[in-house]
Amino acid sequence: MPSQRLREDFQLLQDAVEEAAVVARRYFERGAKVWEKGPNNPVTEADLAVDALLKKRLMKARPDYGWLSEETPDDGSRLTKSRVWMVDPIDGTRAFVKHHPEFAIAAGLVQDGKPVAGVVANPATGEIFAACAGGRVRLNGKLMPKPDPARSLSNARILGSRGPIEKVCGKLDGCEFFSVHSIAYRMALVAAGKYDAAVAMSPTCDWDIAAADVLVRAAGGRVTFTDGKDVAYKDRKSTRLNSSHGY
């Protein structure tokens, strides 16, 4: 069972993300200003609004925790903290800008390099996935059954691009491949048992995956580097990874 402190942190996280999802959905429906913060790297006023809301809510309640977010400059002070909030206010900004419902708010709590609580919300679809260490995955408050461990790779439903994955893994005849833009949302869908695996062949950052990592592990799965080693979150910001379960 999760500790009392973790339960309180988890509830705080859920409440903050639910509030942020309302803000993000409002921008999604009416449109948001967009600009480039780097080549092929858009940001919107929704990213900044959600980031500001989550930072205010979470850090005001836990001022002794660290903070790492895609939209906040990283001053390195989080490296001295045992507990760190890791946030991507809009994971899948390009999908958000194109008005595709394949983006997510991803907010997680990491303790000593291990994710212990995570919430991934898709404001466009109304889905909110949540889990904490020692608990189960919930989708909109409803407990999700653990995926069937008897499934095999020969008929897996995989979130990822067939070409790049088969280039590394070899032919995967019988598998079905599906495309969803946000890696956090992909991992959440795997954790909820809607797909068997999600694979990212391009670099990801801690804020992209920390929250969803908790979901996948709570569902009985693993989140790993491409060499099969578990991901650590203490002092790094990006890596290649894949997440899978149910094989």
Side-chain angles (χ1 to χ4, degrees), residues 9 12 20 26 30 76-77 81 101 118 120 144 172 187 225 243:
D9 286 346
L12 170 65
R26 189 179 303 132
R30 76 184 187 196
S77 62
K81 308 292 186 179
V120 175
M144 292 288 95
L172 295 173
M187 293 168 68
F225 294 111
S243 63

Side-chain angles (χ1 to χ4, degrees), residues 88 106 115 183-184 187 204-214 223 231 233 236 239 241:
D88 191 343
I183 181 59
M187 293 168 68
T204 63
C205 295
D206 286 2
W207 51 66
D208 297 317
I209 61 174
D213 187 318
V214 184
V223 179
V231 179
Y233 296 82
R236 50 162 294 277
T239 187
L241 64 89

Side-chain angles (χ1 to χ4, degrees), residues 35-97:
W35 60 95
E36 295 284 329
K37 60 182 179 181
N40 196 32
N41 190 12
V43 65
T44 75
E45 57 183 332
D47 292 78
L48 301 187
V50 170
D51 186 66
L53 186 156
L54 290 175
K55 187 174 185 181
K56 181 179 179 180
R57 291 278 272 111
L58 297 174
M59 292 302 293
K60 182 178 180 180
R62 300 291 188 269
D64 56 330
Y65 287 17
W67 176 264
L68 178 67
S69 167
E70 180 175 8
E71 305 305 339
T72 304
D74 181 17
D75 62 8
S77 62
R78 64 185 172 86
L79 299 176
T80 67
K81 308 292 186 179
S82 173
R83 297 177 177 86
V84 180
W85 300 113
M86 293 193 178
V87 171
D88 191 343
I90 302 289
D91 181 50
T93 299
R94 283 188 290 275
F96 178 92
V97 170

Side-chain angles (χ1 to χ4, degrees), residues 90-138:
I90 302 289
D91 181 50
T93 299
R94 283 188 290 275
F96 178 92
V97 170
K98 294 177 180 178
H99 215 72
H100 295 164
E102 296 181 2
F103 65 96
I105 298 169
L109 176 63
V110 171
Q111 181 173 341
D112 298 323
K114 296 182 179 180
V116 294
V119 181
V120 175
N122 184 329
T125 64
E127 296 165 300
I128 299 180
F129 307 82
C132 68
R136 296 266 300 279
V137 179
R138 291 180 181 270

